[in-house]
Amino acid sequence: MIDKVIEIEPLDDLDFGKVTAELRSKRREQDTIVLFHPSDSCQENLHHFIAGAKKIHGSMFDYGVNWDDLIWDIRGFESTTSLKDLTHASNVLFTQDNGKGPKIKVSRKDEVPFAEPFATFAKAFVTHRHNEKPKSHSNHMVAIKALRLLYQELPNSLTPCVSQLLPEHFNKAISCAMGTQAKPTLYVTGVHLTAIAESLDEYRLTATPMTWKNPIPRNYKHGGASQNRGGKEAKKERAKQLPKTDLLLFLAALWGTYEEIEERDKALVCMSIILLLCGFRMDEFIGLDLNCIPSREEYDKLPLEIDPETGTLARILRIRVLAKKKGHWDEKIVPHCTVDTIYIAVERLKALSKPQRLTAQIMLEEGKWNRFLEFDDDDYLTSREVKEHLGFPGASATNTISTLALHGIQRDPSSLKRKTRFRVGDIHDGFCDRYRERISPIINGFGHDELIIPIWEFLTLRYLNQYTPKERLNVFAEPL
């Protein structure tokens, strides 16, 4: 049998415009609604892509984020608000790779921004992808890492533009990442590079079609094909991660002698017990509130149900929690044999957090610091009186004056030089304003829909710097 001979046209005779049109016609259809219909001009499409991002930016990023800024603080958005990192800034940096290793801090003045028009495209890309599905701060920063890799490969460093990108630039970018990133991280970087390529292709922002795919195989830590949940090796790996017998005995001993351990350890012991028995993620545990479980009287009146663990009829205790992965309110079933232990742990956390919850409620509802409620707002206290009232050590009141000044509290201008005094109302305002600033993302409560939890109902509130010499302030109550 003679194979059929296929004639291939000479390279010079190919109609690249026709080939490009055919490739573009085969693009994957998108289920999302595009903000504009791409034309054959990539520069025109880029203009519309950026204009569309600016149009939706103001209503979507409503926490004082300015489009023209090179650093966006997205801390206040629901998808990025994490109780675990509540007081940490969630900055998206539209800056170049600083050449430093991971987790090495770089001063703000040493950050070099992306050159235009690449910087504007990066902002538009972040805005569009957040509009399609809200992303966390860390997710956005991994996308910025991928953009930085592409930025280094652009041929024009003076006016870098994404329209100059070719598939080979993506190959160079992932090759560059191979020398600096571990395999699990490298796969995620490739995923974000693929997302950028698909976005460029969807909106036709480049002259050449972008059909680039991530060449890095999915690691088992991300649920890849190499993961075998039912094999012997997988069982061994899971067994290694389980708490050892010695650890469980030690924790049981601490629980049994709870009243004898130091107060600084009590909250950690309660945390360990709840995490161990219920399997919460850390963010889910931090978000537990006073009413996360029914009262004991309500529980005793619950009807009998089939226990999914034992298959017998029993009363099922459920803990309400804001599920981290699902993003909505959910319930976790408490094993029947541990119901009494969970009730004790919750009651102990309520007792431990009572002073902090009181401070938070008075500050947010009344605008006063409960440490100074015994004074009238128009009373004046000298710096020494404030020092003695708060229990600051030492004979000098200099540290007290500087602490108050750090929180924006101005001294009375009519006070004598050696008798600096402060108005009590100003002390209330200064510390309450600082507290509202620290917890601004959840100042109106944590959660969504019909269930919003005020911060003073969290079980896990602790004072900032608690159990250190600075605890004498006892003012900033935040989740554990």
Side-chain angles (χ1 to χ4, degrees), residues 67-85:
W67 172 273
D68 296 324
D69 292 341
L70 290 172
I71 297 177
W72 290 359
D73 182 2
I74 62 173
R75 177 181 46 170
F77 310 134
E78 181 178 313
S79 62
T80 63
T81 300
S82 169
L83 292 175
K84 190 169 60 174
D85 302 317

Side-chain angles (χ1 to χ4, degrees), residues 287-308:
L288 294 180
D289 63 281
L290 296 175
N291 302 308
C292 62
I293 60 175
S295 66
R296 193 59 193 247
E297 293 75 15
E298 293 171 337
Y299 170 74
D300 291 336
K301 295 178 182 178
L302 290 177
L304 298 178
E305 301 178 53
I306 296 180
D307 189 342

Side-chain angles (χ1 to χ4, degrees), residues 59-100:
S59 59
M60 182 173 59
F61 292 144
D62 56 355
Y63 189 63
V65 175
N66 187 354
W67 172 273
D68 296 324
D69 292 341
L70 290 172
I71 297 177
W72 290 359
D73 182 2
I74 62 173
R75 177 181 46 170
F77 310 134
E78 181 178 313
S79 62
T80 63
T81 300
S82 169
L83 292 175
K84 190 169 60 174
D85 302 317
L86 178 64
T87 59
H88 295 269
S90 296
N91 294 327
V92 178
L93 310 176
F94 298 100
T95 56
Q96 302 178 31
D97 187 1
N98 53 36
K100 305 290 186 180

Side-chain angles (χ1 to χ4, degrees), residues 353-419:
S353 62
K354 183 177 180 180
Q356 290 87 336
R357 289 187 284 108
L358 179 62
T359 299
Q361 184 172 12
I362 294 177
M363 277 194 152
L364 296 178
E365 287 194 327
E366 303 180 21
K368 295 182 181 297
W369 184 11
N370 55 342
R371 292 291 296 274
F372 288 87
L373 286 179
E374 60 191 85
F375 304 101
D376 293 332
D377 285 356
D378 291 327
D379 288 346
Y380 286 86
L381 299 176
T382 65
S383 57
R384 187 169 297 279
E385 290 172 335
V386 173
K387 181 185 78 68
E388 294 174 353
H389 184 72
L390 294 177
F392 283 180
S396 174
T398 304
N399 289 338
T400 304
I401 297 174
S402 60
T403 299
L404 295 178
L406 183 64
H407 292 82
I409 303 168
Q410 301 294 327
R411 67 184 72 187
D412 177 25
S414 62
S415 59
L416 300 176
K417 185 176 181 180
R418 293 184 176 274
K419 288 188 177 182

Side-chain angles (χ1 to χ4, degrees), residues 179-468:
T180 58
Q181 299 181 13
K183 275 190 175 182
T185 307
L186 187 62
Y187 164 75
V188 177
T189 301
V191 169
H192 283 266
L193 285 172
T194 302
I196 296 171
E198 290 177 349
S199 184
L200 294 174
D201 202 47
E202 176 187 356
Y203 294 102
R204 303 184 190 178
L205 304 182
T206 57
T208 304
M210 286 294 165
T211 57
W212 191 85
K213 298 297 180 181
N214 182 14
I216 309 300
R218 194 174 189 181
N219 190 273
Y220 77 95
K221 292 184 178 179
H222 295 279
S226 61
Q227 185 175 21
N228 184 2
R229 294 182 179 275
K232 294 182 180 180
E233 293 299 324
K235 291 181 179 179
K236 289 181 180 179
E237 287 297 323
R238 289 199 297 272
K240 290 179 182 178
Q241 299 175 18
L242 292 174
K244 301 299 183 290
T245 303
D246 292 345
L247 177 62
L248 295 177
L249 291 175
F250 181 71
L251 182 59
L254 290 176
W255 185 251
T257 57
Y258 177 82
E259 298 299 335
E260 300 176 17
I261 62 178
E262 296 184 19
E263 184 180 349
R264 69 176 66 192
D265 296 325
K266 289 182 177 179
L268 296 177
V269 171
C270 292
M271 175 185 73
S272 302
I273 292 294
I274 294 177
L275 288 175
L276 183 64
L277 298 182
C278 300
F280 287 122
R281 294 176 179 271
M282 184 59 70
D283 279 2
E284 294 171 344
F285 167 77
I286 293 174
L288 294 180
D289 63 281
L290 296 175
N291 302 308
C292 62
I293 60 175
S295 66
R296 193 59 193 247
E297 293 75 15
E298 293 171 337
Y299 170 74
D300 291 336
K301 295 178 182 178
L302 290 177
L304 298 178
E305 301 178 53
I306 296 180
D307 189 342
E309 183 182 6
T310 62
T312 59
L313 287 176
R315 291 185 177 86
I316 305 299
L317 178 61
R318 295 177 172 87
I319 298 185
R320 188 194 65 241
V321 64
L322 186 61
K324 175 66 175 177
K325 287 290 186 180
K326 299 178 182 179
H328 65 76
W329 289 104
D330 199 357
E331 292 179 333
K332 289 201 174 185
I333 295 178
V334 177
H336 183 69
C337 61
T338 63
V339 168
D340 292 338
T341 304
I342 290 297
Y343 268 107
I344 294 174
V346 170
E347 289 301 319
R348 286 175 173 177
L349 280 177
K350 286 182 181 180
L352 289 171
S353 62
K354 183 177 180 180
Q356 290 87 336
R357 289 187 284 108
L358 179 62
T359 299
Q361 184 172 12
I362 294 177
M363 277 194 152
L364 296 178
E365 287 194 327
E366 303 180 21
K368 295 182 181 297
W369 184 11
N370 55 342
R371 292 291 296 274
F372 288 87
L373 286 179
E374 60 191 85
F375 304 101
D376 293 332
D377 285 356
D378 291 327
D379 288 346
Y380 286 86
L381 299 176
T382 65
S383 57
R384 187 169 297 279
E385 290 172 335
V386 173
K387 181 185 78 68
E388 294 174 353
H389 184 72
L390 294 177
F392 283 180
S396 174
T398 304
N399 289 338
T400 304
I401 297 174
S402 60
T403 299
L404 295 178
L406 183 64
H407 292 82
I409 303 168
Q410 301 294 327
R411 67 184 72 187
D412 177 25
S414 62
S415 59
L416 300 176
K417 185 176 181 180
R418 293 184 176 274
K419 288 188 177 182
T420 304
R421 63 177 192 169
F422 299 88
R423 181 176 173 272
V424 173
D426 293 339
I427 296 177
H428 287 308
D429 294 341
F431 281 94
C432 289
D433 289 345
R434 178 60 64 89
Y435 185 52
R436 292 189 183 97
E437 180 184 346
R438 290 187 63 87
I439 63 166
S440 54
I442 61 166
I443 194 169
N444 296 320
F446 179 72
H448 51 74
D449 298 331
E450 71 283 352
L451 186 58
I452 304 293
I453 306 298
I455 189 171
W456 57 81
E457 289 189 5
F458 283 141
L459 285 173
T460 58
L461 283 191
R462 311 302 288 156
Y463 289 122
L464 178 66
N465 297 319
Q466 186 147 4
Y467 309 121
T468 70

